[in-house]
């Protein structure tokens, strides 16, 4: 590659040893750069990027202190404009003299052009009129070769000045079929050629863009990152004279090559205001955006009102972009080295079907992708293109250029963490797993109330219609389980406008039904149960969720996927005395099966649910204990528990002390005896590893807890408050025949209980024996009230109790009784003891 091709256009061939000491005036960065002084609409700020150098240039002579840009690399827009000037200036010097090679080298190394201002005077129908202000001088100290420096200085001292005629310069793209990039008309110029003498340029030139196709190709390759280098060829026919001596017209050309890393990047900007509201027509929204950037160039211009189409990328790169909005800018005033503000108004019309249609081999639409990036704080890519229907005042050439290029613009996302602020779960209903489904989990139903904060930018009507979510449930920062609402749940919402320092919120209510709750950590679940059973403070469950939300807006129905949400659900503990207030009562008993050691029975039970929760239990089995020994089990199926009193709940129980070991037999015998005697007995229920089939983790956690409450009272026929649960209601003693009969009450409605052996003693005043009954013939106790046969009595003749009986003949006497009894129910047999106090005994002759 020749020296002429790679030399920068502003000061060609700079190979001097000072070329790396500093960079020159700034012309290589984007027109609009970021600024730390301008706040963004999301509250953040960007740093000013460093300048992008076009080339390494030698030390120019000192410049006025107010031109701070001399410490920065030359900048891109004025680089092109000054390049046009450089072609003419260097060519004038080179062509004018008899020793062209030496003078050419001198001119290339010594020429210094310093732009001071570039201002857009006006936009014409076929281009722009630009005012260029710059300083030019020759600096011989930059020339390495002594001979070239001496010859150049001598020649330029003699000539002193050169003058050019009005010149037209064409800039072409040699690597793109020599397409014309643009043309400029440079007026006559006069140059001072003596070393160090400064020529000040101040002229107006007309710049006309060339083929739109060339601009489009370069822009697209640059935007797509495929532009490795850019070669520009400048050509002009220059007429020259020195003083009164004409030097003829000469054709000159100059090449300039930009490497990829020297080409400026997309300008950065801050969004200082972003507002969306419903439009005046149905199906439209209005967008109001304010952009701010920093212009670091010595450039002044007014950008006229321009119209743009806003597009979203399609499913694939090969798909057409999708038009979503139309925008128009106000006039933008650009001042040198100052903040630039741009006001943009846009309108979004009804969303096209291609935007919301799910892409092939995907579960997301282009709109889903856009919203997902935005909601996760990632820049969402929009495409900006000149509108196909520009304003009538927009010059045709500007519209053609803008329409030919689609510029990808990163739209800063907004992290929506914390958008959903408050959670509450009311009317909670739990459903235990289905035993016939090995993959079944507990399910939760209830009413979810959510408070969602609305960003200040959202000033349009929005209504939530459906929600679904997948959430992690944590307790004290440790994951307890996962709640998965797979199906869409109907929802409704109410907007509460902002007031004071509080932002607007959306109150969302949804009824979830049978949302699976998968317990993943039994230890954490156990801590939650312990806190609910024995704690006094609300249990705060933390929820981290990704929520899919279907919303209705004036543009149509939209689906927001995986909106991050977190919050706490406070759960009230059961409180002291809650378990005791369950108060189980057995209404009726039916014997289903018996063995020598066990009884399987079915009972209708009445309980009180003191919690605010309801539940459905497809199947559960729990152990029944007393004094730490397992005595049997209780099974329930398809059981619905409502709040408050619950009547006639069907339960199946199995009395089977052998499952708890030899000691359990004795514990069970004593428990039956105490219960029949009317003592205040307690039983304990406790889950085990197989209480809920397929839920080992949950059951393992539950097995560490038990509930102890009073044994359920039996509703016996003819019960009165005074006689409740007394199995022996009264007795009749026949004095002369020495016999006695008893009225028994059986709790069984359909089965007969047999007494195979009785050894009983009656006591007066708790301690004095009256008599003894020993009877070894079986007799029955059918359902309800029944009378025993006459049982023989052996009187205690020397006892105070016997005297009391004699004195009570014809009346009644309160007696106590103690008995050992062998019971038989079907195949089951057990020896129990019985103690009864205050039994009303009628004494007859």
């Amino acid at each position: 590659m020749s020296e002429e091709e790679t030399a920068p256009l502003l000061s060609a061939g700079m190979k001097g040893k000072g070329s790396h000491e500093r960079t020159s005036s700034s012309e290589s960065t984007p027109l609009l750069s970021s600024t730390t002084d301008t706040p963004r609409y999301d509250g953040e700020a960007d740093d000013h990027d460093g300048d992008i150098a076009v080339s390494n240039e030698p030390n120019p002579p000192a410049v006025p202190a107010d031109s701070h840009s001399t410490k920065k690399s030359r900048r891109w827009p004025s680089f092109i404009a000054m390049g046009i000037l450089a072609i003419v200036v260097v060519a004038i010097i080179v062509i004018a003299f008899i020793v062209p090679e030496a003078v050419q080298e001198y001119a290339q190394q010594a020429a210094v052009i310093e732009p001071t201002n570039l201002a857009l005077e006006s936009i014409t129908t076929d281009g722009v009129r630009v005012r260029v202000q710059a300083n030019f001088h020759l600096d011989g100290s930059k020339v390495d070769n002594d001979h070239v420096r001496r010859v150049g200085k001598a020649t330029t001292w003699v000539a002193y000045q050169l003058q050019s005629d009005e010149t037209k310069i064409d800039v072409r793209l040699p690597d793109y079929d020599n397409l014309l990039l643009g043309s400029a008309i440079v007026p006559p110029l006069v140059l001072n050629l003596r070393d160090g003498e400064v020529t000040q340029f101040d002229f107006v030139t007309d710049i006309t863009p060339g083929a739109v196709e060339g601009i489009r190709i370069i822009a697209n390759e640059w935007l797509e990152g495929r532009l490795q280098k850019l070669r520009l060829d400048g050509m002009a026919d220059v007429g020259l004279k020195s003083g009164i001596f004409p030097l003829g017209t000469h054709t000159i050309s100059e090449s300039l090559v930009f490497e990829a890393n020297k080409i400026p990047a997309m300008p950065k900007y801050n969004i200082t205001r972003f507002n969306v509201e419903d439009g005046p027509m149905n199906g439209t929204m209005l967008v109001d955006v304010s952009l701010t950037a920093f212009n670091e160039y010595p450039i002044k211009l007014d950008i006229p009102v321009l119209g743009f189409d806003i597009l979203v990328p399609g499913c694939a790169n090969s798909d057409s972009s999708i038009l979503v909005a139309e925008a128009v800018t106000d006039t933008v005033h650009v001042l040198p080295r100052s903040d630039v503000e741009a006001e943009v108004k846009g309108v979004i019309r009804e969303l096209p079907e291609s935007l919301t249609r799910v892409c092939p081999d995907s579960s997301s639409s282009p709109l889903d992708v856009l919203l997902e990036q935005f909601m996760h704080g990632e820049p969402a890519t929009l495409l900006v293109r000149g509108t196909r229907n520009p304003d009538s005042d927009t010059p045709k050439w500007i519209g053609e250029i803008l329409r030919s290029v689609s510029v990808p613009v990163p739209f800063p996302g907004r992290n929506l963490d914390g958008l959903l602020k408050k959670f509450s779960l009311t009317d909670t209903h739990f459903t235990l797993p289905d035993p016939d489904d090995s993959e079944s989990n507990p399910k939760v139903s209830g009413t979810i109330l959510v408070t969602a904060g609305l960003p200040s930018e959202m000033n349009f009507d929005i209504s939530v219609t459906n929600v679904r979510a997948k959430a992690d449930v944590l307790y004290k920062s440790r994951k307890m389980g996962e709640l998965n609402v797979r199906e869409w749940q109907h929802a409704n919402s109410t907007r509460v406008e902002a007031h004071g320092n509080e932002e607007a919120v959306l109150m969302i209510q949804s009824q979830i039904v049978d949302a699976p709750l998968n317990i993943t950590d039994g230890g954490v679940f156990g801590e939650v149960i312990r806190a609910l059973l024995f704690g006094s403070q609300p249990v705060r469950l933390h929820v981290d969720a990704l929520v899919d939300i279907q919303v209705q807006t004036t543009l149509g129905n939209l689906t927001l996927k995986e909106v991050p949400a977190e919050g706490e659900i406070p759960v009230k503990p059961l409180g002291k005395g809650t378990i005791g207030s369950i108060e189980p009562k057995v209404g009726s008993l039916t014997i289903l099966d018996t063995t020598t050691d066990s009884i399987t029975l079915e009972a209708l039970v009445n309980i009180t649910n003191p919690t605010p929760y309801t539940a459905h239990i497809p199947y559960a089995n729990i152990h029944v204990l007393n004094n730490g020994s397992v005595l049997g089990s209780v099974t329930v199926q398809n059981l619905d528990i409502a709040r408050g009193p619950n009547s006639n709940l069907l339960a199946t129980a199995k009395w089977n002390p052998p499952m708890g070991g030899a000691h359990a037999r004795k514990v069970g015998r004593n428990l039956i005896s105490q219960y029949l005697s009317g003592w205040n007995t307690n039983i304990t229920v406790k889950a085990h590893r197989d209480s809920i089939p397929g839920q080992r983790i949950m059951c393992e956690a539950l097995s560490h807890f038990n509930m102890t409450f009073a044994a359920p009272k039996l509703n016996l026929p003819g019960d009165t408050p005074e006689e409740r649960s007394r199995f022996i209601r009264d007795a009749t003693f026949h004095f002369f025949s020495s016999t006695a009969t008893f009225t028994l009450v059986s709790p069984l409605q359909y089965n007969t209980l047999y007494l195979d052996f009785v050894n009983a003693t009656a006591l007066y005043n708790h301690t004095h024996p009256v008599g003894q009954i020993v009877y070894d013939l079986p007799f029955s106790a059918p359902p309800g009230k029944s009378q025993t046969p006459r049982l023989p009595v052996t009187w205690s003749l020397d006892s105070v109790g016997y005297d009391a009986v004699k004195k009570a003949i014809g009346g009644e006497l309160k007696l106590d009784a103690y008995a050992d009894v062998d019971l038989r129910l079907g195949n089951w047999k057990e020896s129990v003891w019985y103690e009864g106090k205050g039994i009303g005994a009628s004494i007859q002759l």
Side-chain angles (χ1 to χ4, degrees), residues 75-86:
R75 308 186 192 278
W76 174 262
S78 56
F79 193 100
I80 298 297
M82 293 302 128
I84 297 173
L85 180 60

Side-chain angles (χ1 to χ4, degrees), residues 459-774:
N459 294 296
F460 53 87
D461 287 336
I462 182 172
S463 176
V464 177
T465 57
N466 292 285
V467 296
R468 64 184 180 188
K470 182 176 182 180
D472 289 339
V473 182
L474 300 93
Y475 178 65
K476 294 183 177 180
S477 301
R478 292 186 295 159
K479 183 176 177 180
M480 181 187 77
E482 298 173 351
L483 185 65
N484 195 345
V485 186
R486 298 185 182 92
E487 303 297 329
W488 287 110
Q489 309 291 318
H490 177 70
N492 56 70
S493 61
T494 303
R495 181 182 180 119
V496 179
E497 296 297 338
H499 60 278
N501 295 325
E502 298 181 1
E503 65 179 356
V505 296
L506 199 65
M507 308 295 294
I508 304 171
Q509 178 175 316
S510 177
Q511 183 75 32
I512 63 170
V513 179
D514 291 341
L517 176 62
N518 179 26
I519 303 299
T520 57
D521 191 318
V524 178
F525 179 68
E527 290 184 27
V528 172
I529 297 299
R530 182 179 294 108
L532 289 175
L533 292 177
F534 309 113
S536 58
Q537 299 297 322
V539 177
R540 299 190 176 276
L541 299 179
H542 187 85
V543 178
D544 283 337
L546 292 176
V547 185
D548 293 346
I549 307 174
Q550 287 184 341
V551 299
Q552 188 177 63
T553 69
T554 187
L555 297 178
N557 296 324
L558 305 177
T559 300
L560 308 180
K561 293 186 177 181
E562 296 186 349
V563 178
E566 61 176 323
E568 287 189 345
I569 300 178
V571 183
K572 292 182 179 180
L574 298 184
K576 279 188 176 182
T578 300
I579 296 176
S581 62
I582 294 176
E583 297 180 348
K585 296 184 177 71
V586 178
S588 66
L589 295 174
T590 301
I591 306 302
L592 300 179
D593 186 32
T594 60
T595 68
T596 56
D597 297 315
S598 68
I599 303 173
T600 302
L601 56 89
E602 192 174 73
L604 291 178
V605 182
N606 301 331
I607 64 170
T608 298
N609 175 15
T611 74
Y613 313 115
T614 62
H616 173 74
I617 306 174
Y619 176 90
N621 177 273
I622 55 175
H623 284 161
V624 178
L625 301 87
N626 183 260
N627 289 335
S629 297
V630 178
L631 303 179
S633 64
V634 175
T635 302
V636 294
Q637 298 185 66
N638 295 320
L639 190 66
D640 289 302
I641 306 294
R643 287 188 291 271
N646 290 258
S647 302
N648 296 325
L649 301 181
L650 183 64
T652 301
K654 186 171 185 177
W655 177 263
N656 188 21
M659 66 186 298
H663 179 68
R665 283 180 169 275
K666 181 179 179 181
V667 172
R669 183 181 303 114
N670 285 332
L671 178 63
I672 293 177
S673 301
Q674 294 168 359
Y675 186 75
L676 293 175
S677 301
W679 290 18
N680 292 325
T681 55
N682 294 325
I683 60 173
T684 300
V685 294
K686 183 178 181 180
H688 52 87
R689 293 185 64 187
D690 295 316
S691 285
I692 304 173
Q695 295 293 316
R696 283 294 180 90
I697 295 178
M698 185 169 69
C699 293
E700 185 69 29
L702 292 174
S703 67
H704 296 289
F705 303 96
N706 55 61
M707 291 188 295
T708 300
F709 45 82
K713 301 298 183 181
L714 297 176
N715 290 326
L716 302 178
D719 268 351
T720 63
E722 296 77 17
E723 295 180 327
R724 180 171 298 277
S725 299
R726 287 188 176 183
F727 293 94
I728 299 179
R729 289 296 170 84
D730 55 50
T732 300
F733 285 89
H734 302 277
F735 187 77
F736 288 125
S737 63
S738 298
T739 58
T741 59
F742 297 87
T743 301
L744 304 180
V745 180
S746 171
L748 304 179
Q749 292 184 346
Y750 307 103
N751 304 89
T752 298
L753 181 68
Y754 290 90
L755 287 74
D756 289 341
F757 173 79
V758 176
N759 182 359
T761 300
L763 301 174
Y764 171 72
N765 200 19
H766 309 303
T767 58
H768 303 292
V770 172
Q772 183 178 15
I773 297 174
V774 177

